[in-house]
Each structure stands twice: as structure tokens, then as C-alpha cells.
């Protein structure tokens, strides 16, 4: 992956609906050259998909919480992660270093629903306890990292 690939990725992260012509103008390549590069980035798993960014409140998910999950001493992290993936309200799951084993981002409609979700999380085999941080407001989220990095291949 070279600097041009990184610039294409940055442009797609800012606007996943950009045309190949738009991308080409932005990075200084022809549309066909961009199409070829994007195809290679998809084939090699660098680009894993495209999605719509939705305002959670607009779709009834007004409560966001970050929940730290402490595993039991005998927990199998893969089993815990698979169980977390089954909960639709878990939007993101991170395996972390520190006191907790995982941190998950949960979006639900109400605080009552958050309470029910916490109960389901605590019943997962391998979960010892949880620590919840309620998000009051989101300043920014999911912003693209547009840095091109140092020492890129040419």
C-alpha cells in the first residue's frame, strides 16, 4: 500500500459514495486507475465494506453507554466475544488491556432498556462484572483518520 492508496482510503472514509472520477480528481489519477486500486484494496481486505452513517437518536437509540466487562478467571475470551456479538444493542466490541477484558459500546432507546441489557451482559458465561459509563453527548465519532503516515512506500 502506497501514499496514493492511503489518499484514496482517506477520501472514501470521508465520502464512501464518491465516484471513481471524484476520487481520481482528488488524488490525481484517472477514474480507471482509481477503480483498479479500489478493487485491489477490496480484494486484499483493506477495504472491508461500505455503510451508511445514521444518527442514532433519529432512529430511536437515544442512550449510548460504554461498558467495561471484567471476565472471570476461567473465561474463554472467544466465547465471551461470540456471546457479545449476539446482542444487537452491542454496536462495537473491543478487547482491551487493563482491568477489563472488553469494552463495548451499546446503543438503546431508554435507560430501562440499558438496565435490561446490563442484565443480559452479566448473565453471559465468563462475565464476572461490568462497569458502565453513560454517554451524555458525543462530540465526534467515527471520524476518518486522514493522516497519510510517515515512511510510506512509493
Amino acid at each position: 500500500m502506497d501514499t496514493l492508496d492511503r489518499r484514496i482510503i482517506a477520501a472514501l472514509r470521508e465520502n464512501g459514495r464518491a465516484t471513481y472520477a471524484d476520487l481520481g480528481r482528488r488524488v490525481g489519477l484517472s477514474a480507471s486507475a482509481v477503480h483498479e486500486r479500489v478493487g485491489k484494496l477490496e480484494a486484499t481486505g483493506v477495504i472491508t465494506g461500505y455503510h451508511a452513517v445514521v444518527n442514532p437518536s433519529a432512529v430511536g437509540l437515544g442512550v449510548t453507554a460504554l461498558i467495561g466487562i471484567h471476565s472471570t478467571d476461567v473465561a474463554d475470551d472467544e466465547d465471551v466475544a461470540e456471546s457479545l456479538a449476539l446482542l444487537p444493542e452491542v454496536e462495537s466490541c473491543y478487547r482491551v488491556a487493563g482491568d477489563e477484558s472488553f469494552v463495548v459500546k451499546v446503543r438503546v432507546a431508554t435507560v430501562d432498556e440499558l438496565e435490561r441489557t446490563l442484565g443480559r451482559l452479566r448473565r453471559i458465561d465468563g462475565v464476572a462484572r461490568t462497569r458502565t459509563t453513560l454517554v451524555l453527548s458525543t462530540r465526534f465519532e467515527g471520524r476518518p483518520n486522514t493522516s497519510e503516515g510517515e515512511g510510506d512506500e512509493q
Side-chain angles (χ1 to χ4, degrees), residues 54-132:
V54 176
N55 177 342
S57 294
V59 294
L61 299 175
V63 177
T64 302
L66 304 174
I67 302 170
I69 297 173
H70 297 259
S71 297
T72 63
D73 290 340
V74 296
D76 181 312
D77 287 342
E78 289 304 315
D79 290 343
V80 172
E82 287 175 17
S83 295
L84 292 169
L86 296 175
L87 299 175
E89 58 268 49
V90 175
E91 184 176 291
S92 302
C93 176
Y94 306 96
R95 174 79 170 99
V96 297
D99 291 338
E100 297 152 341
S101 300
F102 296 94
V103 174
V104 296
K105 179 168 60 174
V106 168
R107 290 197 200 268
V108 292
T110 66
V111 174
D112 288 340
E113 194 172 332
L114 176 60
E115 184 176 14
R116 287 189 292 277
T117 298
L118 288 169
R120 285 192 294 277
L121 286 172
R122 291 180 185 127
R123 286 191 294 276
I124 291 174
D125 191 37
V127 172
R129 67 184 190 282
T130 62
R131 182 187 56 80
T132 303

Side-chain angles (χ1 to χ4, degrees), residues 9-10 13-14 142-147:
I9 291 166
R13 290 192 72 196
E14 288 178 18
R143 69 180 179 171
N145 178 348
T146 58
S147 67

